Amino acid sequence: MNFWTILYIIDWGLFIIVSLTVLYMTIFTLASLVGKHTTIPTAKHQNRFIVLIPAYKKDKVIEQTIVSILGQNYPQRLFDITVISDHQNEMTNFHLAQYPITLLVPHFEKSTKAKSLQFAINNLPQFKIYDIAIVLDADNIVESDFLTMMNDAYETAGTKAIQAHRISKNRDTAAARLDSVFEEINNSIFRRGHITLGLSAAISGSGTAYDFNWFKENIMKAKTAWEDKELEAMLMRQHIYVDYFDHILIYDEKTRETEDLNRKRSRWAITQLHSILSNIQYLPGAIFNKQYDLIDKIIQWLLVPRTIMMGIISLMSIILPFIFMTLAIKWWLLFAFVMFIFALATPDYLVDKNWDKSFLKAPFIMLWSLWNMLLFGRKSKRS
């Protein structure tokens, strides 16, 4: 094969693969524009909650999170807070011990969120009975009616897992604004768009409520640093629907530095690869048994991660004009269409005076993230 044949194969092969991801995003973005939960009725039953907060080196923010949860208008006898203080300094632990919470201080050689949650479950008092487990990050802030709304939503959903709406609590740098946009795009496509079409919402990693007995049993099976994706796969394999409630807000601290944002998105791409390798074996059975949520989840993981997708689109749009201008046109059109879809998936409250310049930086940050992933892959091979 000559140079031009190889170029055409690579060009069209990449274009088709990327276009399938764009098509998937388009379908759920359009669905998200019409799908929202209606008013949730007040629950007749008040559940008992255990709020689990793994805190790894979060000395600066953990107290704010605890104060926000203690300020709930939900009956205090019906919820407990357990903080797993991992590798935090002694002064932080001293301050945390003054609050009416359960403070656990594990000593992990290699820390993961899964290990912290397993440690918490193993150390809960045997005489305590809970209905719902809520997992929060150590930098999350919630409003005073958070548990009341979670209780109402859980009773309305009638399922064993629900996801609240994570929203940024800081947009003070370009990286934080982009991280906020990326989070809301995820909410539109993988949560609101999915429940509109009758499919399970994706789990965010925090702000998730689980049936306590289900969580107690299944968290013990988590073995990796991305326990949320493991739990998500378990829910899908067990035919458990994950509902999403747009009006229940979790204020999450966003990454302030571009380098940290690049690392974060690189980790997400690696997590997606791990998820598909762990779950692709279940696809034939899911198709045979008509497990549509599991089929959708596996397809979702099979698609090109958006970081890599935007990196490929940007790279081809820049390089091809120097080789053969005609080949670049379809990539330019695809780039414009993807940016349009991202704009549709971005809620109005994020469109402020800084939105234009922040949003236009997204392709370049994703291109840089793609380069970081390649470097990470090289380092992994050497090690």
Side-chain angles (χ1 to χ4, degrees):
M1 287 190 293
N2 60 30
F3 169 78
W4 292 107
T5 304
I6 295 171
L7 178 63
Y8 285 139
I9 291 173
I10 293 173
D11 175 51
W12 278 102
L14 287 175
F15 187 80
I16 291 169
I17 291 171
V18 169
S19 295
L20 289 174
T21 301
V22 174
L23 176 62
Y24 182 93
M25 288 168 38
T26 302
I27 291 169
F28 288 104
T29 296
L30 295 176
S32 74
L33 299 177
V34 296
K36 288 190 177 181
H37 261 297
T38 54
T39 304
I40 305 301
T42 302
K44 295 180 180 179
H45 173 69
Q46 288 184 314
N47 290 286
R48 183 167 177 79
F49 290 90
I50 176 67
V51 181
L52 303 171
I53 311 173
Y56 176 74
K57 295 183 178 179
K58 293 290 185 178
D59 302 81
K60 295 181 179 179
V61 294
I62 180 61
E63 284 195 64
Q64 299 174 17
T65 301
I66 293 171
V67 169
S68 75
I69 302 168
L70 288 174
Q72 295 298 298
N73 56 25
Y74 201 72
Q76 289 194 355
R77 61 185 172 79
L78 293 179
F79 71 92
D80 293 326
I81 303 168
T82 295
V83 174
I84 309 94
S85 181
D86 184 12
H87 286 79
Q88 299 194 122
N89 64 53
E90 292 184 10
M91 187 56 68
T92 298
N93 291 334
F94 174 78
H95 285 302
L96 295 181
Q98 311 307 309
Y99 291 100
I101 64 172
T102 299
L103 178 64
L104 302 175
V105 186
H107 300 283
F108 300 128
E109 185 175 338
K110 187 176 181 181
S111 300
T112 65
K113 192 174 177 180
K115 286 183 180 179
S116 291
L117 292 170
Q118 291 164 355
F119 188 82
I121 292 296
N122 285 330
N123 285 276
L124 289 177
Q126 294 297 317
F127 63 88
K128 290 289 183 82
I129 298 175
Y130 299 105
D131 302 303
I132 301 171
I134 294 181
V135 179
L136 294 179
D137 285 340
D139 56 6
N140 291 163
I141 300 293
V142 296
E143 295 176 345
S144 60
D145 57 352
F146 170 70
L147 287 180
T148 299
M149 289 194 293
M150 285 295 264
N151 185 70
D152 294 342
Y154 193 86
E155 290 295 300
T156 299
T159 187
K160 292 186 177 182
I162 63 173
Q163 177 63 53
H165 180 178
R166 290 210 318 186
I167 189 172
S168 64
K169 69 178 182 183
N170 64 294
R171 299 197 301 275
D172 47 352
T173 67
R177 287 191 290 273
L178 277 176
D179 203 7
S180 304
V181 170
F182 294 151
E183 179 87 69
E184 287 290 18
I185 289 173
N186 285 340
N187 287 330
S188 295
I189 297 173
F190 300 112
R191 296 179 186 95
R192 190 165 56 250
H194 270 66
I195 65 169
T196 300
L197 297 181
L199 295 168
S200 279
I203 287 175
S204 289
S206 72
T208 315
Y210 304 91
D211 173 83
F212 176 76
N213 290 325
W214 184 92
F215 182 80
K216 181 179 179 180
E217 177 184 351
N218 287 275
I219 190 60
M220 295 303 170
K221 302 174 186 175
K223 302 184 186 305
T224 69
W226 30 84
E227 87 301 327
D228 54 331
K229 295 305 173 191
E230 290 186 274
L231 291 173
E232 191 171 31
M234 291 177 203
L235 288 164
M236 300 301 104
R237 294 200 298 268
Q238 295 174 36
H239 303 265
I240 298 173
Y241 181 76
V242 181
D243 210 341
Y244 171 68
F245 291 85
D246 213 41
H247 70 290
I248 306 177
L249 302 181
I250 307 284
Y251 296 93
D252 183 60
E253 185 160 336
K254 296 305 172 191
T255 305
R256 287 183 166 85
E257 300 298 329
T258 302
E259 187 176 345
D260 293 334
L261 181 59
N262 285 334
R263 281 198 294 266
K264 185 177 180 180
R265 300 199 68 79
S266 298
R267 284 197 304 271
W268 287 349
I270 293 166
T271 299
Q272 183 172 330
L273 176 61
H274 182 275
S275 296
I276 191 57
L277 292 175
S278 302
N279 292 281
I280 189 66
Q281 59 184 310
Y282 300 108
L283 182 58
I287 295 172
F288 181 78
N289 294 313
K290 298 180 181 179
Q291 292 176 267
Y292 298 117
D293 281 336
L294 183 55
I295 294 169
D296 168 72
K297 189 58 61 177
I298 293 174
I299 290 173
Q300 188 183 119
W301 288 331
L302 277 170
L303 296 173
V304 181
R306 279 165 302 148
T307 301
I308 297 176
M309 179 193 77
M310 287 305 298
I312 291 172
I313 294 173
S314 302
L315 198 62
M316 298 300 279
S317 297
I318 293 169
I319 291 176
L320 284 178
F322 295 100
I323 302 174
F324 191 25
M325 178 66 74
T326 307
L327 293 177
I329 295 174
K330 64 181 179 299
W331 289 102
W332 293 344
L333 293 173
L334 187 63
F335 176 84
F337 183 74
V338 169
M339 296 302 282
F340 173 69
I341 291 300
F342 282 167
L344 281 181
T346 304
D348 292 341
Y349 81 90
L350 286 175
V351 184
D352 55 20
K353 62 181 181 180
N354 295 310
W355 183 80
D356 288 341
K357 58 184 180 181
S358 297
F359 196 70
L360 290 173
K361 288 181 182 177
F364 302 102
I365 287 181
M366 290 185 174
L367 191 60
W368 184 243
S369 295
L370 180 60
W371 174 249
N372 285 339
M373 273 185 259
L374 294 173
L375 290 179
F376 183 84
R378 279 184 175 180
K379 290 178 183 177
S380 298
K381 287 181 180 179
R382 288 173 186 169
S383 58

